[in-house]
Every structure is written in structure tokens, then in C-alpha cells.
Amino acid sequence: MDAEDDLSDPIALITNPALSVNNPDNPRLSAGMTFFGQFLDHDMTFDPTSSLARAQDPESIGNFRIPALDLDSVYGGGPGVSPHLYDKTIDQGQTTLLVEANPGSETKCVDGRPRFDVPRNAQSTALIGDPRNDENLIVDQLHLAFLRFHNRVVDDIRNDLGPLATTAETFAEAQRIVRWHYQWMILHEFLPLTCGEEVVSSILTDGRRFYDWRHAPYIPVEFSVAAYRFGHSQVRPSYRANFGTSATDTSQQFFGLIFNSALSGTDPDDLRGGSRAPRRFIDWQTFFDFADGRVRRNKRIDTRLSSVLFHLLGQPLTQPDSLATRNLIRNLTMEVPSGQRVAAAMNEAPLALADLADLADVGLDRQTPLWFYVLREADVHTAGEYLGPIGGRIVAEVITGLIDGDPSSYVSLEPDWTPTYGSNATFVMTDLLTAAGVVGALT
């Protein structure tokens, strides 16, 4: 019996799209935080050999990216190793990341200014450090924001370093500044919003209780295969990508499903990546809160998934295209411990059987797949606004540990450092987008 047959009944129960009705918004988290979480995931790990159909020893899984939050998904190997990522018209390609104008976008946006895109080859394949950041338009444009933020920093520090600074010194200093602002934002915005202020504060003050390493930081299977997949439950079925030529006339705005497997073409009506067209850009006021009343919220962290996630794009015919099914099979093949076992190991009270009563008929109310358990725990403990005690601690300890274990992070080199961009000695996503110059002037 293969893995899919082994879980056929639980999958039928847990992954039924009909059970995802009445999927409420999350008042705590804006829609864009889901995609920032996806961006972080791609920066931490890259395993092209992963297979749903093959059981693997978690400790033998090859991570083809250093498990650190250092933006190598943006910088690649640097100008020498990844020259295709850098603009050769500036400093011979030694300091500035390549971006390209989105032709015709000025006729599609409210303020008439051109929008930009990541660089692409003649077949519209994105030339970026991690191809997964072109999976959808939103994370693609978030990647673009980091490219442009780096370039802004390069321009700003030229005078600070003086005329004798080499291009290598200019690049290294700009990269350091961008990385440190990124790490600050993770520790002081993303984690508190996602895991809860209490657990993050306790880790930053008193240290981690569970996540540690002997030689170098690694990605635990409980994190990568289960707990950090919480973001799947936050995805909305559709988004307003931009306001088109009018911030008030909805007929001019670009709405679309995050993806629609029935569509095709070079400019489909969904928000998949891999395309360039005048309307394919993001007005960020929908995704992050600029205090102008335009922000939308993501969905709550719970066991209800948006219907679009039951039919993923580009999956082999021999493999399931339901994201929930894929997550549950991955929990089985990777032999991830149940939520109850993890709760016992962390000295946390497990969920009551009543909280998992819908799994009793398939025998998973006492041995619940950790991915599902983390989602249900959030629903029970925080009404789905942020992760519960087990999921929140797993996510917060691993991410803070990766930053602690990075010898070049600000936590390691200068723990009292505070951001120089942003305001009031802090830095959040709206500050990054503003500094990067990717926020349109809406009226």
C-alpha cells in the first residue's frame, strides 16, 4: 500500500474543499504577510530533490541553500558567481542588482509612472536567485522590492564611503545594510505578528528552549514539513493586484485568483508568475497597511483552506494537485511525529479530544498529523489570529536560531544596532516598500 492509499480516508476528510466554507479574514495580519512568509521560506531552504512519493531520512535531506536568513535568494553567489543578476551598465556589474521596466505599465497605473519587473530572458523566465520567487505575481514583486531596496542603499552610501571605496566595498556594505534591515523586520514585525508577542519576547529575552545545533544551524523537519506550512491556510482565493488607472473605478483594477489551472496564455487573468505584461504589477496598498484604508487581510490560521489550493498548477499527473493532500502525504513519508508527541516533548498540554472530534472516525484525534495539528491549535488558542503555543514556538525558535547562528547577522555582530531606514528606530514592511520606491502614489 503506497503513502496516498495509506492516508486515503483521512485525506478525504481533512482535504475536502466543501469544508472550507465560511473562511473568515484575520484582523491581525495584512494580506501581504502571507507572501513575505513565502519569501522567507525560499530564502531559508531549497531542496530540488524532495519527493512526495519517497520516504526520506530528515537528516539526510540536502538543503541546496545555506539555512540562513541572508538573502542569498536575492544576491545569488554575488557579482562574481551570479553575474546575470547584476546590472553591467553600473560599476561593471559589481554593485547594483538588475531590474527592468515593465513596458506599458504607465498606461495601466493610477499615477502614470512606469512600474518595474524582475529581469527576464526572452522566454519570460525570471533571472533571479531563486526561481520559486516567480511562482506568483505577489512574491515576484516582493522580490523586486528587495532588488530596488538594495539599489537604493547602494546609491545612498556612495557618498558615505567616499571616492576611494572600491566597488567590492560598496557592494559589501550595501548588502550588510539590506540584510540587517531584513533581519530586524523578521524579528520585530513578522514573528511577533505571526507567533505572538509573548513567545517571541520570551525567546529574545531568555533564549530558545528546544532548537539548538552541534555544528551549524539546520532546518528541523517539524518546522519545514509541518509548522511553517501554516501560511497555506492564510491564502485568499483572489486578490486585487493593483488599482489600474483608477483607485475608485473597480472596472479598471486588476483582480484575479492567485492561480487558475483553467487559464493559459502570456497574460492570464490570474496572478501566476512567469509573465510580463503592462498590468502585471502590484499596488502594495492592498497588501500592507499604509493607513489609507485600502489594505486587505489574509485568512485566519485554521484548517480551512481556500478552494484554489485544491488544484495547484504544474503538478505531475501521477501526483496529487491538492496542497492539503500533498502536505499530509509529506508528513507521512517524512515520518514527522504527531502533534500530540510534539506537545509531550515540549511539555505543553495537548489539544483536548473534543477539539479534534472531527478526526475521531479516521483515528487521527489522538495521533494528529503535525501540519493539521498546528493549524487546529491556532484556531483553538488564538481564534486563528496567530500560531498557538506549539506551532508558534517551533517557528519562532527556528527562525531566531537561524539569525543567532549566522556569524554575519546584526544579532551576532552588533546586537544593539537599530535601523537607519524607517522611523523611530524601527523598520517594517511599509518602510521597505517606501524606501524601495515601489509604492505608487494613489489618490
Side-chain angles (χ1 to χ4, degrees):
M1 180 175 289
D2 62 23
E4 194 169 352
D5 290 336
D6 212 19
L7 279 179
S8 58
D9 288 340
I11 286 173
L13 174 70
I14 296 173
T15 69
N16 185 352
L19 300 179
S20 293
V21 298
N22 301 320
N23 195 0
D25 288 351
N26 188 334
R28 180 182 178 88
L29 291 164
S30 65
M33 276 297 164
T34 303
F35 299 94
F36 184 50
Q38 183 182 16
F39 182 89
L40 300 188
D41 177 40
H42 296 171
D43 193 35
M44 285 183 278
T45 60
F46 183 42
D47 174 22
T49 68
S50 177
S51 171
L52 287 172
R54 183 176 67 249
Q56 290 177 286
D57 176 0
E59 294 186 3
S60 72
I61 297 171
N63 182 11
F64 288 71
R65 172 160 295 131
I66 296 172
L69 289 155
D70 58 2
L71 292 176
D72 57 357
S73 60
V74 170
Y75 292 112
V81 176
S82 306
H84 60 289
L85 303 181
Y86 295 83
D87 189 343
K88 292 185 178 180
T89 69
I90 303 173
D91 296 329
Q92 294 78 49
Q94 297 301 303
T95 62
T96 303
L97 288 158
L98 185 62
V99 300
E100 295 178 350
N102 191 352
S105 61
E106 66 276 6
T107 66
K108 296 290 185 180
C109 59
V110 173
D111 58 7
R113 297 187 303 166
R115 299 297 194 258
F116 291 85
D117 189 16
V118 299
R120 299 181 183 277
N121 67 13
Q123 296 179 324
S124 290
T125 299
L127 303 176
I128 54 179
D130 190 322
R132 297 173 299 170
N133 281 354
D134 196 32
E135 284 180 358
N136 61 70
L137 179 62
I138 305 162
V139 74
D140 168 271
Q141 291 273 294
L142 187 58
H143 188 105
L144 170 72
F146 278 93
L147 301 181
R148 286 176 57 94
F149 180 52
H150 168 87
N151 293 347
R152 159 74 186 275
V153 175
V154 168
D155 290 340
D156 288 347
I157 67 174
R158 289 187 191 278
N159 290 335
D160 295 338
L161 295 180
L164 297 181
T166 67
T167 55
E169 290 168 339
T170 299
F171 173 77
E173 178 64 3
Q175 186 183 53
R176 178 192 67 80
I177 291 171
V178 172
R179 281 175 169 169
W180 285 14
H181 280 78
Y182 167 62
Q183 292 164 355
W184 175 279
M185 192 163 56
I186 294 167
L187 293 178
H188 296 278
E189 183 182 30
F190 177 76
L191 285 183
L193 285 173
T194 298
C195 302
E197 289 87 351
E198 183 177 353
V199 67
V200 176
S201 177
S202 71
I203 292 169
L204 295 179
T205 302
D206 301 321
R208 301 180 306 279
R209 290 166 46 196
F210 302 103
Y211 175 61
D212 203 358
W213 56 88
R214 286 183 295 176
H215 304 296
Y218 66 101
I219 304 294
V221 69
E222 293 86 354
F223 174 91
S224 61
V225 178
Y228 200 68
R229 294 176 182 269
F230 73 89
H232 297 158
S233 70
Q234 297 178 303
V235 175
R236 302 183 67 85
S238 63
Y239 296 87
R240 177 174 56 196
N242 59 57
F243 296 90
T245 56
S246 172
T248 57
D249 182 357
T250 58
S251 68
Q252 302 299 314
Q253 301 174 8
F254 182 18
F255 285 91
L257 295 173
I258 186 65
F259 48 76
N260 184 344
S261 58
L263 300 176
S264 61
T266 58
D267 183 20
D269 283 333
D270 62 5
L271 302 183
R272 71 184 68 190
S275 300
R276 176 180 289 164
R279 67 174 179 166
R280 301 191 85 81
F281 63 89
I282 295 295
D283 278 330
W284 289 110
Q285 289 88 343
T286 291
F287 295 90
F288 295 98
D289 193 352
F290 288 85
D292 61 2
R294 293 184 168 102
V295 69
R296 296 293 300 276
R297 301 293 169 181
N298 62 17
K299 295 299 182 179
R300 294 178 187 261
I301 303 172
D302 54 31
T303 54
R304 293 180 287 269
L305 272 67
S306 294
S307 57
V308 294
L309 299 180
F310 291 93
H311 299 285
L312 301 177
L313 294 176
Q315 304 306 315
L317 294 177
T318 58
Q319 294 191 9
D321 63 354
S322 163
L323 183 135
T325 302
R326 292 170 68 86
N327 282 344
L328 288 168
I329 293 174
R330 190 174 275 111
N331 267 240
L332 176 69
T333 59
M334 301 293 286
E335 299 181 354
V336 180
S338 69
Q340 287 83 356
R341 285 182 60 194
V342 173
M346 297 176 68
N347 296 314
E348 291 282 353
L351 290 175
L353 290 177
D355 294 326
L356 297 164
D358 52 331
L359 302 184
D361 289 345
V362 291
L364 293 181
D365 56 332
R366 297 174 187 271
Q367 297 183 60
T368 309
L370 184 58
W371 170 70
F372 186 91
Y373 186 97
V374 165
L375 299 182
R376 181 58 57 81
E377 178 194 57
D379 196 11
V380 170
H381 283 273
T382 75
E385 294 190 12
Y386 55 97
L387 289 166
I390 293 172
R393 184 161 285 276
I394 292 173
V395 169
E397 288 212 6
V398 172
I399 289 180
T400 57
L402 294 180
I403 295 174
D404 289 342
D406 177 0
S408 65
S409 72
Y410 88 85
V411 174
S412 296
L413 291 178
E414 196 175 329
D416 294 329
W417 174 85
T418 54
T420 51
Y421 291 85
S423 59
N424 299 322
T426 192
F427 186 75
V428 296
M429 182 55 72
T430 52
D431 295 318
L432 182 143
L433 297 169
T434 301
V438 296
V439 182
L442 305 183
T443 59

